Amino acid sequence: MILVTGGAGFIGSNFVLDWLAQSAEPVLNLDDLTYAGNMQNLASLQADPRHVFVKGSIADGELLTKLLAQHQPRAVLNFAAESHVDRSIHGPEAFIQTNVVGTFKLLEAVRHYWAALPLEAKQTFKFLHVSTDEVYGSLSKDAPAFTEQHAYEPNSPYSASKAASDHLVRAYHHTYGLPVVTTNCSNNYGPLHFPEKLIPLMIVNALAGKPLPVYGDGMQVRDWLYVKDHCSALRRVLEAGRLGETYNVGGWNEMPNISIVNTVCNLLDELRPRADGKPYASQISYVTDRPGHDRRYAIDASKIERELGWKPAETFATGIRKTVAWYLANPEWVSHVQSGTYREWVQTQYAAA
Ligand code: NAD
Ligand code: TYD
């Protein structure tokens, strides 16, 4: 089996669902169910014996040692993280605890487990660390996109904590020979995305008749990838990625935020027009910029395309249409997230703990 950490979050749950749709290999899913972890995302797996869910933290070394010994995974994929830049500005400590200390504890537990494996299992084992393009910092308007050689220049507490975790992963390969591979992916979007991030926030606010807050001038550029394409890249890297290497993952799709927001509004105008006939774009509201806001991210994905033959299946036009359609088709998921009902499962399940 494989061990996935953070598999109740946005990308992790998409990964687990896709994995089990394509493979018979079971998944041990370790997630601490913070506000970002949502068991509703995994509801379709409730009766599936191939999905073993454990609530717990990657910072809990004892638990990790026990789970590794008990389940003997052939690979570990580390998605678990605090992931929202705005939250990292207001409260950076949780980011250090999970992204830095948590990754360290996970690496330690995995290192001891791996070192004691029989030779064949040891030779095929892999630790895949899921990271972000934000570790590279901000690009000027005409600078070439980030390659794997780009210097790390993180600017937010979030990106700094992810950069620290990437460095630890690298060091465990060089020092202990741990068979690691790291991916640095651009901004993801798609189903099951928590509506604190740009695209899902714009969809749910638009439908609720609320303002659509665009930071600063809205001309910050992000490079967007449909989440299922990120998942296919991770499966490919797990299968064939070279140990000790890093792979940038992206869809060559740079767009300013305001264009993203307008695209979402136009799709909603088409698929769920406002009762008063006005365009959703009339709800756009320019607000104070995020402190230290990175101006531009862009991924050069040549290496993963060349070495591993990976390419995204979706264009932005097809992916964003699927995404908007998914939110329109899943009002219950949205309302449970907004009302906090999705967290009741945690309370009920662990009431006695
Ligand atoms: P998310 O915030 O939606 O999910 C994170 C998950 O980790 C949640 O289920 C949460 O409960 C869990 N978690 C948090 N702390 C934990 C801990 N201490 N132990 C165990 N579980 C814990 O994040 P996401 O958007 O799904 O991102 C997943 C990974 O991908 C992160 O490492 C992130 O840095 C990386 N990434 C995200 C993006 C993006 O656009 N969202 C892009 C590139 C890379
Ligand atoms: P976000 O989804 O938070 O991802 P990240 O900061 O990791 O790139 O934000 C994407 C972009 O959208 C970023 O430039 C900040 C901007 N943004 C807004 O303009 N308004 C918002 O309400 C949010 C959440 C983000």
Side-chain angles (χ1 to χ4, degrees):
M1 67 153 48
I2 58 167
L3 166 58
V4 165
T5 73
F10 165 47
I11 305 173
S13 61
N14 272 288
F15 181 85
V16 170
L17 292 167
D18 283 8
W19 180 272
L20 291 175
Q22 309 191 11
S23 154
E25 189 176 12
V27 174
L28 171 62
N29 185 349
L30 175 68
D31 194 297
D32 209 19
L33 296 179
T34 68
Y35 80 94
N38 184 347
M39 288 307 287
Q40 283 185 118
N41 298 354
L42 302 162
S44 62
L45 300 176
Q46 225 160 18
D48 191 329
R50 296 171 306 158
H51 180 237
V52 180
F53 183 82
V54 176
K55 182 192 176 311
S57 173
I58 57 165
D60 184 343
E62 248 175 67
L63 174 66
L64 289 168
T65 302
K66 196 185 92 190
L67 290 174
L68 290 166
Q70 189 184 345
H71 295 278
Q72 301 278 307
R74 67 158 178 104
V76 174
L77 290 95
N78 184 29
F79 294 87
E82 288 293 336
S83 70
H84 190 37
V85 174
D86 292 324
R87 283 181 190 256
S88 84
I89 294 168
H90 292 290
E93 187 153 356
F95 288 72
I96 304 304
Q97 282 310 328
T98 288
N99 301 0
V100 186
V101 179
T103 303
F104 162 69
K105 295 279 192 179
L106 179 63
L107 283 166
E108 272 295 273
V110 171
R111 169 167 83 89
H112 290 294
Y113 163 72
W114 169 76
L117 282 175
L119 191 62
E120 205 194 320
K122 196 174 176 185
Q123 279 171 343
T124 53
F125 183 83
K126 268 187 190 164
F127 181 97
L128 199 172
H129 181 58
V130 181
S131 193
T132 165
D133 61 355
E134 303 194 25
V135 297
Y136 297 124
S138 187
L139 286 170
S140 59
K141 194 163 165 280
D142 299 316
F146 302 127
T147 67
E148 290 77 2
Q149 276 69 50
H150 201 283
Y152 271 37
E153 289 175 346
N155 291 320
S156 72
Y158 164 63
S159 54
S161 67
K162 288 297 291 186
S165 69
D166 292 8
H167 289 323
L168 283 169
V169 171
R170 177 189 156 89
Y172 270 63
H173 178 70
H174 283 266
T175 306
Y176 304 111
L178 192 70
V180 307
V181 59
T182 295
T183 52
N184 294 94
C185 188
S186 60
N187 284 62
N188 285 212
Y189 68 98
L192 307 172
H193 204 182
F194 195 80
E196 63 182 353
K197 307 276 171 73
L198 180 72
I199 289 178
L201 182 76
M202 294 301 146
I203 299 171
V204 304
N205 275 15
L207 293 171
K210 292 184 182 165
L212 308 179
V214 172
Y215 298 163
D217 63 1
M219 290 306 292
Q220 303 84 3
V221 171
R222 297 292 182 265
D223 191 347
W224 295 92
L225 183 69
Y226 191 62
V227 64
K228 307 271 177 202
D229 282 325
H230 187 188
C231 295
S232 75
L234 294 173
R235 289 197 303 274
R236 185 70 191 125
V237 170
L238 184 65
E239 187 179 53
R242 286 188 292 133
L243 299 181
E245 292 290 314
T246 66
Y247 291 91
N248 283 356
V249 184
W252 306 96
N253 183 64
E254 285 183 59
M255 271 169 102
N257 292 338
I258 190 64
S259 305
I260 297 286
V261 176
N262 277 317
T263 303
V264 167
C265 289
N266 294 341
L267 278 168
L268 286 172
D269 287 340
E270 176 194 328
L271 300 171
R272 181 72 56 84
R274 269 174 46 151
D276 62 6
K278 285 196 183 146
Y280 283 99
S282 62
Q283 291 168 228
I284 291 173
S285 159
Y286 287 90
V287 299
T288 310
D289 208 351
R290 171 189 280 172
H293 198 169
D294 284 339
R295 198 70 185 161
R296 176 177 165 236
Y297 304 140
I299 277 282
D300 180 334
S302 315
K303 180 177 171 182
I304 189 170
E305 290 176 2
R306 193 179 56 244
E307 282 192 14
L308 304 182
W310 172 83
K311 269 209 183 331
E314 303 291 341
T315 63
F316 187 70
T318 59
I320 194 68
R321 183 172 282 276
K322 282 185 181 174
T323 304
V324 171
W326 185 87
Y327 279 85
L328 289 174
N330 289 277
E332 224 174 68
W333 184 92
V334 172
S335 78
H336 285 173
V337 166
Q338 285 180 313
S339 67
T341 316
Y342 77 106
R343 294 193 53 77
E344 275 169 15
W345 186 89
V346 185
Q347 272 128 37
T348 316
Q349 187 81 359
Y350 298 103

